[in-house]
Amino acid sequence: MTSWVTSANGDTDFPIENLPYGVFDDGAGPRMGVAIGAFVLDVGKVEHGLDAALFAEPAWNAVMAAGPAIWAALRERLTALLSDETYRTAVEPHLVALEKVALLMPFRVSEYTDFYAGRHHAFNVGTMFRGAENALPPNWLSIPIGYNGRASSVVVSGTPVRRPWGQIKRPEDELPRFAPSARFDLELEMAAIVGQLSDGMVSVAEADAMIFGYVLLNDWSARDIQAWEYQPLGPFLSKNFASTISPWIVTMEALAPFRAPFSHPAEDPQPLPYLSSADNSAQGGLDIHLEALIETPKMRDAKAAPARFTQTNYRHAYWTAAQMVAHHTVNGCNLQPGDLLGTGTLSGPTLDQACALIELTTGGKNPIQLPNGESRTWLEDGDTIILRGWCEKPGAARIGFGECVGTVLPTP
């Protein structure tokens, strides 16, 4: 397809096939918008044929709650407004250049659950602590493992992240000490956004229809705090200080061409019936390319480009978002529009596809080398991490997620 917004027809994350949803402020207050090429469309200002109340609050939660029929109608109308030249005169005044806006949280995070659905990450980290024979806990291949995160500390791309304090106990220490984290890490993840209310258990097929879209997620991690606190109940202060998401929600409609078959290896335990469906097997996977880059203070001062240090694909996830939703509700737990479900670190099968420094450096033993001669074992103050994601294949337009960016600030 083509758009009369010419910047949407070239090299961009936001062609007309994408139309991701966000919230922006150009100085006149936060509003709901859709990205198109180098611009954001002020959705509340155009004739979309929907209830204006859906756009009254600068957050996409009301649209999510309105349901899939409204999602489809809005997307169809926006596509027409931005592709048909006859609408140009009415719509063009409501386009604002992306370079002139601040991008804000695109929705109110109702709750946040972070799963542990990256098998290669789980194996790599488990090997460091328990050896290869016992790397994966006995239940890992049978259920989507997750923990409750902190919704209030989910922040949007561009928000600085301050290095946390916490209790730290090294193996040689007799007692823990209170100090800033010295083993500060990132985790390259994605996150599904629940768009519909659930009341009781939902099937995998029902769960798939509940997902509104995806964002990139950096689940910042303080490894030294985590090592001391995670037994017996899992991560707490090592994770809840900040989780960064990208500002654009890429909808399931936009991702439809990039669905892919999904299955567990034949030698693994196969999902129990409540975690299975024919559609999930046929198209539960998503072919999304992912990468992480670093910009150190020295790079910034030298005006050097950020350096990519890993790349992977969402297809390495061991559980689909629909399976995570279904499992989340199996005990009667309700989900709400705006619930955020992290995938866990999406490392691939080889070391160059590892998506956290704890893996890339083998627990801090082997620093990674950067193009400018610097090295990193853990993140240092002033380092900026940039996550990117995109989909492309023959016969379909390339679409992207934009960037998920965070800079590490020193402890106060």
Side-chain angles (χ1 to χ4, degrees):
M1 297 178 64
T2 58
S3 171
W4 51 260
V5 181
T6 55
S7 61
N9 302 323
D11 182 16
T12 177
D13 274 351
F14 309 127
I16 196 166
E17 289 87 353
N18 194 351
L19 302 181
Y21 299 142
V23 172
F24 73 100
D25 188 353
D26 59 356
R31 283 109 71 205
M32 297 165 67
V34 58
I36 179 72
F39 297 88
V40 55
L41 175 66
D42 190 339
V43 179
K45 295 286 183 64
V46 297
E47 182 53 54
H48 41 64
L50 299 177
D51 185 351
L54 296 176
F55 306 92
E57 179 191 12
W60 284 87
N61 299 65
V63 173
M64 295 181 203
I70 295 297
W71 307 348
L74 177 59
R75 180 176 174 83
E76 182 179 4
R77 180 59 174 169
L78 291 171
T79 301
L81 291 174
L82 292 165
S83 62
D84 189 335
E85 186 73 29
T86 61
Y87 294 114
R88 181 169 186 167
T89 300
V91 173
E92 195 165 29
H94 305 301
L95 293 175
V96 184
L98 281 169
E99 62 183 13
K100 296 182 178 180
V101 307
L103 297 176
L104 310 177
M105 280 291 293
F107 64 103
R108 285 179 287 101
V109 180
S110 301
E111 302 286 352
Y112 170 41
T113 302
D114 196 27
F115 283 87
Y116 196 34
R119 179 174 186 167
H120 302 295
H121 173 73
F123 180 83
N124 292 341
V125 174
T127 298
M128 294 178 202
F129 293 102
R130 296 181 295 275
E133 292 296 320
N134 300 302
L136 295 178
N139 60 354
W140 199 94
L141 297 174
S142 296
I143 59 175
I145 302 293
Y147 69 93
N148 289 321
R150 182 78 180 171
S152 63
S153 58
V154 178
V155 297
V156 73
S157 174
T159 306
V161 174
R162 194 168 292 280
R163 183 182 300 273
W165 288 78
Q167 278 198 31
I168 297 166
K169 184 180 182 299
R170 296 171 299 186
E172 64 272 22
D173 294 334
E174 182 178 353
L175 293 171
R177 56 194 172 88
F178 183 63
S181 172
R183 295 163 66 92
F184 197 59
D185 203 355
L186 76 142
E187 290 189 348
L188 170 51
E189 304 189 20
M190 298 200 70
I193 301 164
V194 175
Q196 291 281 273
L197 177 70
S198 73
D199 186 13
M201 179 182 175
V202 300
S203 68
V204 172
E206 291 168 330
D208 188 74
M210 290 171 57
I211 299 168
F212 185 65
Y214 280 84
V215 291
L216 303 173
L217 171 67
N218 186 346
D219 185 34
W220 305 93
S221 300
R223 300 299 184 189
D224 38 9
I225 298 172
Q226 183 178 1
W228 172 234
E229 74 175 6
Y230 87 107
Q231 299 286 4
L233 294 180
F236 181 38
L237 299 183
S238 58
K239 297 275 192 176
N240 70 0
F241 56 92
S243 301
T244 304
I245 64 169
S246 50
W248 297 108
I249 304 169
V250 177
T251 65
M252 292 307 298
E253 293 95 328
L255 292 169
F258 306 100
R259 284 182 175 265
F262 178 86
S263 64
H264 286 174
E267 64 271 18
D268 286 358
Q270 296 304 295
L272 294 175
Y274 81 95
L275 289 171
S276 303
S277 79
D279 282 347
N280 194 67
S281 298
Q283 56 173 8
L286 283 169
D287 186 8
I288 303 174
H289 302 278
L290 300 163
E291 66 179 9
L293 304 91
I294 186 170
E295 180 188 66
T296 69
K298 286 185 178 179
M299 292 176 181
R300 199 152 43 242
D301 292 343
K303 295 182 170 49
R308 183 177 70 190
F309 60 90
T310 192
Q311 56 184 335
T312 186
N313 194 291
Y314 182 44
R315 292 188 70 174
H316 294 310
Y318 194 78
W319 300 99
T320 68
Q323 288 174 316
M324 291 189 288
V325 169
H327 185 67
H328 209 313
T329 66
V330 73
N331 64 344
C333 174
N334 65 311
L335 297 178
Q336 307 171 71
D339 275 7
L340 186 71
L341 306 183
T343 60
T345 310
L346 293 168
S347 300
T350 58
L351 186 59
D352 62 331
Q353 297 173 303
C355 293
L357 289 175
I358 191 172
E359 298 171 80
L360 288 165
T361 68
T362 319
K365 298 175 183 177
N366 303 300
I368 60 171
Q369 303 301 314
L370 303 178
N372 67 347
E374 292 184 272
S375 64
R376 284 293 184 273
T377 303
W378 306 102
L379 295 177
E380 298 184 6
D381 293 345
D383 287 347
T384 296
I385 294 297
I386 305 163
L387 308 184
R388 294 174 181 160
W390 69 95
C391 304
E392 59 183 347
K393 72 173 188 179
R398 180 193 181 279
I399 66 171
F401 287 75
E403 293 185 338
C404 179
V405 181
T407 300
V408 180
L409 297 184
T411 52

